[in-house]
């Protein structure tokens, strides 16, 4: 991992990495000292997102890619695709069951419970906690508690709105799914590099905002404050 040169507590841009003089690690991008596995919930969902369960993660990625290819490239209709999958599955099970009677094969074993209730509860609980934290953070940003972060969020939302004009909903959904399966894994692996770059750019944006605030916003005339 790289070491970084020491810097003051001012808002100047942090110095570039140096191999000789170490400096304290920059603030984490997610604002927590916990490992990203704990931030994501620490359960099976976190294992999938961080590729600790490679089989499930790869299966989800391949399955979503196949679905995207069928709908976006082949232009399959959803109802038609669902019916074709159902017909193929039923024919395969029918042939397997009847063939087992004639050739003494092992008949297909149909489990009583295919999707467990605990799995849905865990996914729903994780999504609820993540959604509440994100919504709470967005509300704090919207109230202007951090002007630099407010401008950053506005810029990101505007970029997403521009991107949305060039991509269909399915493409955006697939792109978001790819990001969910790759960004946490890459951050878990290269977190110190990402934290340093994010801290440097965030300090630069705060400096630009202060300059904009002093040159333009502070010069806007304000009315007198009424005293009660």
């Amino acid at each position: 991992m790289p070491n970084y040169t020491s810097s003051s507590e001012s808002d100047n841009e942090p110095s570039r990495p140096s191999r000789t003089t170490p400096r304290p690690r920059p603030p984490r991008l997610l604002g927590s000292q916990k490992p990203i596995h704990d931030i994501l919930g620490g359960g099976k969902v976190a294992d999938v997102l961080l590729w600790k369960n490679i089989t499930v993660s790869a299966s989800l990625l391949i399955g979503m890619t196949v679905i995207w290819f069928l709908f976006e490239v082949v232009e399959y209709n959803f109802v038609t695709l669902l019916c074709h999958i159902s017909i193929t599955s039923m024919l395969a099970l029918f042939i397997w069951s009847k063939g087992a009677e004639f050739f003494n094969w092992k008949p297909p074993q149909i489990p009583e419970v295919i999707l467990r209730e605990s799995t849905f509860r865990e996914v729903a609980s994780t999504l609820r906690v993540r959604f509440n934290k994100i919504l709470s953070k967005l509300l704090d940003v919207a109230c202007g508690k951090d002007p630099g972060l407010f401008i950053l969020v506005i810029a990101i939302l505007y970029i997403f709105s521009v991107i949305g004009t060039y991509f269909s909903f399915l493409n955006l959904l697939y792109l978001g799914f790819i990001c969910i399966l790759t960004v946490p894994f890459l951050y878990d692996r290269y977190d110190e590099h990402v934290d340093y770059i994010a801290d440097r750019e965030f300090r630069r944006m705060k400096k630009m905002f202060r300059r904009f605030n002093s040159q333009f916003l502070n010069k806007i005339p304000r009315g007198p404050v009424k005293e009660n």
Side-chain angles (χ1 to χ4, degrees):
M1 294 183 180
N3 295 324
Y4 306 108
T5 57
S6 59
S7 62
S8 61
E9 296 297 328
S10 62
D11 292 328
N12 295 332
E13 182 180 345
S15 56
R16 293 184 177 181
S18 174
R19 295 183 179 179
T20 57
T21 306
R23 85 167 179 114
R25 176 193 177 113
R28 292 180 65 90
L29 180 62
L30 301 179
S32 175
Q33 298 301 323
K34 296 181 180 179
I36 189 172
H37 187 270
D38 294 339
I39 296 177
L40 293 175
K44 295 180 180 179
V45 176
D47 292 340
V48 172
L49 295 180
L50 297 178
W51 287 76
K52 296 184 181 298
N53 192 337
I54 298 179
T55 303
V56 178
S57 301
S59 299
L60 287 175
L61 180 60
I62 294 173
M64 192 65 182
T65 302
V66 171
I67 293 175
W68 171 83
F69 179 81
L70 290 175
F71 284 118
E72 190 66 22
V73 180
V74 183
E75 298 184 352
Y76 242 115
N77 182 275
F78 176 76
V79 176
T80 303
L81 179 62
L82 184 62
C83 292
H84 286 177
I85 292 176
S86 300
I87 291 172
T88 304
S89 301
M90 293 180 66
L91 286 175
L93 287 175
F94 178 80
I95 295 173
W96 187 1
S97 300
K98 295 303 179 182
E101 298 177 0
F102 293 100
F103 301 103
N104 294 326
W105 295 345
K106 185 178 179 180
Q109 301 293 329
I110 307 299
E112 295 182 0
V113 179
I114 299 177
L115 298 177
R116 297 185 179 276
E117 184 179 357
S118 59
T119 303
F120 283 96
R121 288 183 176 179
E122 183 177 358
V123 173
S125 177
T126 303
L127 292 178
R128 180 184 63 83
V129 173
R130 294 295 100 199
F131 179 78
N132 286 335
K133 288 186 177 181
I134 293 174
L135 184 60
S136 176
K137 187 66 176 179
L138 286 177
L139 292 176
D140 289 340
V141 172
C143 291
K145 296 182 179 180
D146 192 336
L149 187 58
F150 175 80
I151 295 179
L152 178 62
V153 172
I154 293 297
I156 292 175
L157 291 177
Y158 177 76
I159 292 173
F160 283 162
S161 67
V162 174
I163 293 175
T165 59
Y166 297 98
F167 293 90
S168 65
F169 176 74
L170 184 60
N171 284 331
L172 285 177
L173 187 64
Y174 178 69
L175 181 61
F177 184 82
I178 295 298
C179 291
I180 290 174
L181 276 182
T182 54
V183 172
F185 170 75
L186 293 176
Y187 179 74
D188 183 53
R189 191 167 185 177
Y190 306 104
D191 56 345
E192 191 166 347
H193 300 275
V194 175
D195 290 338
Y196 171 73
I197 295 174
D199 181 61
R200 182 185 63 187
E201 296 302 323
F202 185 69
R203 286 172 179 268
R204 185 179 298 172
M205 291 193 63
K206 288 181 67 176
K207 188 176 181 181
M208 292 175 58
F209 175 77
R210 284 202 175 106
R211 186 181 303 169
F212 176 78
N213 188 38
S214 62
Q215 293 180 357
F216 298 99
L217 296 183
N218 288 338
K219 295 181 179 180
I220 298 177
R222 295 177 175 84
V225 180
K226 295 182 180 180
E227 297 182 357
N228 295 328

